[in-house]
Amino acid sequence: MKLLIAALLGCISWMCCAATPHNYRDRLPQDEIIYFVLPDRFENGDTSNDTGGIPGGKLDHGFDPTDKAFYHGGDLKGLLSHLDYIQGLGATALWVGPIFKNKAVQGAPGQESAGYHGYWITDFTRVDPHFGTNADFKTLVDAAHARGMKVYMDIVVNHTADIIQYKECVGKPCPYRSIADYPYTRQGGALGAPINTGFSGDDSAHQTNSNFAKLTNPNWAYTPFVPPAEAHLKVPDWLNNPLYYHNRGNSTFRGENSTYGDFVGLDDVFTENPHVVQGFIGIYGKWIDDFGVDGFRIDTAKHVNPEFWQAFVPAMLTRAKAKGIPHFHIFGEVSENELDIGVLPRFARVAHMSATLDFQFFDAVTDLVARNLPTSEFARVFAGDDLWPGGAADAEQLPTFVGNHDNGRLAMFVRQANPKATLAEQYQRTLLGYAMLLTLRGVPVIYYGDEQGFVGHGGDQDAREDMFGSKVASFNDTVLLGTISTTATPSFNTDHPLYIALQELIALRTHNAALRRGLQTVRATGDSPGLFAVSRKLPGERGEVLLVFNTSSLPISAQIRVDADATTWHALHGTCATAPTAPASYHVDLAPFGYLMCQSTPTGQPK
Ligand SMILES: [Ca+2]
Ligand SMILES: [Ca+2]
Ligand SMILES: [Ca+2]
C-alpha cells in the first residue's frame, strides 16, 4: 500500500506537468475534473476594485465583506494567484461563476442584496468591475491554458438583472399572466383592445423574423417600463427594449410560466424571438472567439424554450471548432429535486443539449451518505443512463456533484441529517460521497471549499463562504471538518486531510481510463443502507475496476459478482483480495462508511 500511495503521489506531480498546453484541447469532457468557484468568494487579489468603482455606500456599490448577501472583494486576479492550489488538487478545468457586469444591488427597500454571485447581468460584453477587467479574464484563461487547464464560463440566457418594471405592480406582487388570459394580440386581457395585429404567436412554427416584426406593442399582459436612469444600462443595447422580454409577471416554476415567467422579478428574455436567438449567439460566440474558453455551464437552462437551445448549442460548437476547440463542453442547469429518471435525458433530447448537470446523481449521493436511504436509489439513477439520446455513454459527460452554491454542501447535508454523528463520522460520510463522485460515471465537479472541510448552514447565501479570511459571523461560527481552523482565516491549506484525500482519488481517476470513460455495471445494491458495488469497464477491453461502497455504520463482508474470467486482482484503494473466491465471485471486507477499489487483470492479459 505504501508503495502504491507513493506511486500515486508521484503521479500527481507528473500530472501537473502532463497537463500541458499541447494536449489540453484533446481531452474529452469526461477526462476533466472540474473545480467550481465563485470569484467573489475565492481570493481578493486587488483591493482597489472592491467597490467596482461605484461611489456611495453599500447599497450603491454592493461591497460589505461582513454581509453574506454582498460583495466580499474576491476577483479574477485573486483566482489567478491560486491556480497552483487548484491544479495541485488535481483539477483540470475551472468553472468560474458568472463574471459579467451585474446590477450591483437590487431588491425592495430593506431586502436588498448584491450581485456578488454574478447572475444579475446588465452588460453581457464585459467583466464586472468588482471582478476586474476583460484583460484580467484573458490573463486568467491564458494562464490556465498554459498549465493545460480548461476554463468553463457560467452563462445566463434566461434572464437579465431586474430592470424592467410593470406599472401594475409597483409596490405590489406581480402574479403570472398566462397566454390564454392575456394573448399577445390583445391589450390587458382576452377582451382587451386589439394590438400586434397579425402576430401568429411564439410557438415553434412561428419563430420567424417576419412574424415577430408584427409584435410592436409590449403591453399584452402588463405595462412594462424601464426606469429612465437605466434606459441604456444593458449591453448590447437591444436588450433595453421591453419587446425582447415576456413581461408576464413572476414565475411559480409550473407549466407555461416555467419558461415565460420572471425569476423573482429578473427580466425573462423572449427567447422564442429569432432576433434574441441571434443576439445571444453573437454575445457568447464572441467570448469563444476572443478568449478561447473551453465550455459553458448554462444557468436556468430549463426555463428557456427548447428551440432556443436547438439553435444556440450547434452555433456555439461550430464557433468553438473554428477556434480550434474540438471538445467544447456545454452543460445546462436543469435542476430537479425528484428522482424521475426521464427528466434530464428528455431535456437533452428536446433541447439538443448533450449534457446537463446531474441533479439526480446529487440527490442520490446525498440520500445515501447523508440521509441513510437505500443504496437501490443509486441503481435507479444509473438505470436511467440508457435513456440518454446516445445511450449510457452520454451519461459519462454529465457533470456530477455532491453539493453546490444553491443547494448547499454535502457536509451540510450530512450534519443536518445526522445531528448526533461525531465529527469523525461526518468526515467519513462526506469523504465517502466524494469517493463516489470521483470514481463513478460523470464528470466530477468539486465545489470550492469542500476540500477544506467547509460545511455551511444551508444553501444559497449560506453555502458561499470565503476562502480568504472571512468577516461573516455566520460563516466563521461553523465547525469545519478535518481542521480546527475556521473560515475566519485563509483556507488554502494543502495539508488539509480532505484536500489530500481528494488529491489521491483524483490521481486514481486521472491515471485510470476505466474510471473516466468506463461503462458501468451495477454489481450489488440493496433496500437499506449498506453495500453498493459497480464495475467500470472500457468498451471492447477486458478487465474491470470494481468500486465497492459501504453507506452503513456497520462493517460489511460480502461476495460480489464479477466477470468470470477475472482471475487476478490488485488494489487501487484499500485492501483487495488478489484472486476471486470462485469464478465470478469476489470477496470484499469493508469498514463502516468505507470504500474499496479493486482492478482485475483477465487471464492471458498483461497487467
Ligand atoms: Ca477585489
Ligand atoms: Ca423585472
Ligand atoms: Ca424564460
Side-chain angles (χ1 to χ4, degrees):
M1 266 314 287
K2 275 185 186 162
L3 272 178
L4 180 65
I5 289 169
L8 285 172
L9 292 174
C11 289
I12 291 164
S13 55
W14 172 84
M15 187 171 59
C16 297
C17 311
T20 49
H22 72 271
N23 67 9
Y24 74 92
R25 295 284 196 207
D26 297 334
R27 292 198 306 263
L28 299 180
Q30 53 267 51
D31 292 337
E32 309 297 340
I33 304 282
I34 303 172
Y35 189 83
F36 170 30
V37 57
L38 297 176
D40 182 58
R41 301 296 161 88
F42 201 67
E43 179 62 295
N44 192 345
D46 180 358
T47 54
S48 75
N49 62 19
D50 289 354
T51 58
I54 301 168
K58 161 182 178 174
L59 295 183
D60 300 301
H61 52 62
F63 176 67
D64 180 357
T66 68
D67 188 331
K68 65 182 180 181
F70 282 75
Y71 286 98
H72 290 179
D75 48 40
L76 297 178
K77 280 185 183 154
L79 189 48
L80 178 72
S81 71
H82 286 292
L83 289 182
D84 274 348
Y85 168 86
I86 297 169
Q87 191 169 33
L89 182 64
T92 63
L94 279 177
W95 158 10
V96 185
I99 59 167
F100 313 98
K101 185 171 189 292
N102 269 229
K103 183 163 181 174
V105 178
Q106 65 179 46
Q111 295 169 4
E112 298 93 343
S113 64
Y116 70 92
H117 42 72
Y119 295 103
W120 298 342
I121 302 170
T122 55
D123 185 341
F124 289 78
T125 68
R126 61 176 290 203
V127 167
D128 191 287
H130 293 84
F131 297 155
T133 63
N134 287 29
D136 290 340
F137 186 60
K138 184 82 167 70
T139 303
L140 175 70
V141 174
D142 288 350
H145 286 168
R147 294 163 170 266
M149 295 179 75
K150 296 183 181 176
V151 177
Y152 298 153
M153 298 185 85
D154 196 330
I155 71 167
V156 191
V157 161
N158 179 61
H159 55 261
T160 70
D162 178 13
I163 304 295
I164 295 174
Q165 308 299 317
Y166 308 129
K167 285 195 174 138
E168 294 82 354
C169 304
V170 174
K172 279 190 277 187
C174 209
Y176 184 75
R177 292 183 167 179
S178 72
I179 293 174
D181 288 338
Y182 294 87
Y184 291 109
T185 51
R186 296 288 185 276
Q187 181 161 358
L191 299 176
I195 55 172
N196 300 319
T197 304
F199 180 64
S200 304
D202 63 10
D203 55 279
S204 57
H206 298 102
Q207 293 170 6
T208 62
N209 284 314
S210 58
N211 182 41
F212 273 87
K214 294 168 189 154
L215 192 73
T216 56
N217 182 335
N219 303 328
W220 46 82
Y222 284 107
T223 311
F225 67 97
V226 176
E230 298 178 322
H232 294 284
L233 188 64
K234 293 182 189 172
V235 182
D237 195 49
W238 60 265
L239 283 163
N240 294 300
N241 185 344
L243 275 173
Y244 295 122
Y245 297 84
H246 287 127
N247 304 315
R248 291 185 174 276
N250 279 331
S251 180
T252 62
F253 312 107
R254 290 269 186 286
E256 177 188 298
N257 76 41
S258 175
T259 53
Y260 288 88
D262 294 335
F263 203 110
V264 201
L266 296 169
D267 305 347
D268 197 69
V269 183
F270 209 142
T271 44
E272 292 80 1
N273 187 329
H275 184 80
V276 170
V277 177
Q278 291 310 314
F280 275 112
I281 286 173
I283 287 169
Y284 288 120
K286 188 161 167 51
W287 287 90
I288 298 174
D289 293 347
D290 292 352
F291 297 87
V293 294
D294 305 278
F296 290 151
R297 177 267 187 186
I298 300 181
D299 185 63
T300 42
K302 76 170 176 179
H303 302 299
V304 173
N305 57 302
E307 300 86 359
F308 179 91
W309 302 125
Q310 290 166 15
F312 181 83
V313 170
M316 293 302 102
L317 296 178
T318 301
R319 203 85 166 231
K321 278 204 173 69
K323 180 79 179 171
I325 308 165
H327 305 299
F328 195 83
H329 195 29
I330 294 179
F331 49 101
E333 180 204 25
V334 181
S335 57
E336 288 295 334
N337 296 316
E338 299 156 23
L339 276 175
D340 175 350
I341 57 173
V343 169
L344 298 180
R346 180 193 173 277
F347 178 87
R349 275 178 198 273
V350 173
H352 300 182
M353 190 182 290
S354 61
T356 65
L357 281 158
D358 195 349
F359 275 84
Q360 298 190 326
F361 183 97
F362 162 63
D363 281 343
V365 169
T366 49
D367 279 351
L368 264 60
V369 307
R371 301 186 196 99
N372 307 301
L373 291 182
T375 59
S376 53
E377 189 173 320
F378 236 157
R380 204 161 158 268
V381 169
F382 295 138
D385 288 355
D386 293 313
L387 298 174
W388 284 83
D394 274 10
E396 305 202 335
Q397 295 190 24
L398 308 184
T400 45
F401 57 98
V402 297
N404 66 19
H405 59 320
D406 289 329
N407 300 77
R409 297 177 185 275
L410 176 60
M412 184 275 294
F413 293 113
V414 165
R415 184 169 290 176
Q416 286 191 345
N418 305 277
K420 293 182 180 163
T422 62
L423 284 171
E425 181 180 324
Q426 292 172 33
Y427 180 94
Q428 284 178 308
R429 285 176 179 262
T430 302
L431 178 57
L432 179 63
Y434 260 101
M436 292 168 168
L437 178 78
L438 290 165
T439 56
L440 292 164
R441 106 285 185 272
V443 193
V445 180
I446 294 167
Y447 182 46
Y448 85 94
D450 277 11
E451 77 282 5
Q452 295 291 332
F454 285 12
V455 181
H457 291 301
D460 199 84
Q461 292 174 3
D462 291 319
R464 301 170 180 179
E465 300 94 325
D466 302 303
M467 288 288 280
F468 49 104
S470 184
K471 296 189 171 77
V472 177
S474 67
F475 294 163
N476 296 343
D477 69 2
T478 310
V479 176
L480 308 183
L481 297 183
T483 178
I484 55 168
S485 299
T486 71
T487 50
T489 54
S491 299
F492 295 101
N493 178 11
T494 54
D495 293 324
H496 190 289
L498 275 171
Y499 184 94
I500 293 169
L502 298 195
Q503 205 175 37
E504 290 177 7
L505 284 163
I506 291 168
L508 275 174
R509 182 183 183 95
T510 304
H511 293 282
N512 196 314
L515 291 178
R516 301 193 307 278
R517 304 181 182 185
L519 293 173
Q520 294 193 158
T521 305
V522 173
R523 296 295 198 184
T525 179
D527 294 328
S528 59
L531 186 64
F532 184 74
V534 160
S535 283
R536 298 198 67 181
K537 294 165 74 169
L538 289 168
E541 294 193 20
R542 302 171 73 200
E544 65 194 285
V545 175
L546 178 66
L547 308 169
V548 196
F549 307 97
N550 180 2
T551 66
S552 77
S553 59
L554 301 172
I556 286 177
S557 180
Q559 297 298 128
I560 309 283
R561 178 180 170 184
V562 292
D563 285 348
D565 65 354
T567 54
T568 59
W569 289 78
H570 62 278
L572 298 176
H573 176 89
T575 305
C576 297
T578 54
T581 313
S585 179
Y586 188 73
H587 186 78
V588 294
D589 288 301
L590 286 149
F593 307 114
Y595 55 93
L596 286 180
M597 299 169 199
C598 310
Q599 187 160 26
S600 74
T601 312
T603 307
Q605 298 281 315
K607 200 167 148 182

